[in-house]
Amino acid sequence: MSDSENYDPLTPRSRKNYEAQEQRFPRGLVIRLVAYLVAGHVFAAFLYLLFAVAGKG
């Protein structure tokens, strides 16, 4: 008998693994979040500079 025959997806996993997984964000999500924050601030700074230069002319 293989393990896949006895596998039940509805049985809860061990509490230790579940809590550890709940506390951490996936690494890809953190990288994307930081990239979007940096890109968003760079874009906002560009728009600010654009309007500041256009306002003086």
Side-chain angles (χ1 to χ4, degrees):
M1 236 185 218
S2 67
D3 289 337
S4 63
E5 291 177 2
N6 296 328
Y7 176 72
D8 182 11
L10 299 177
T11 56
R13 294 183 180 182
S14 69
R15 191 77 181 150
K16 180 181 174 185
N17 289 341
Y18 181 71
E19 287 175 355
Q21 194 176 27
E22 237 182 40
Q23 293 174 354
R24 291 180 33 151
F25 286 108
R27 186 175 181 168
L29 180 65
V30 172
I31 292 171
R32 255 184 290 153
L33 179 63
V34 169
Y36 288 153
L37 284 173
V38 169
H41 281 86
V42 168
F43 183 68
F46 172 72
L47 286 179
Y48 177 79
L49 181 65
L50 191 70
F51 281 98
V53 170
K56 288 186 178 186

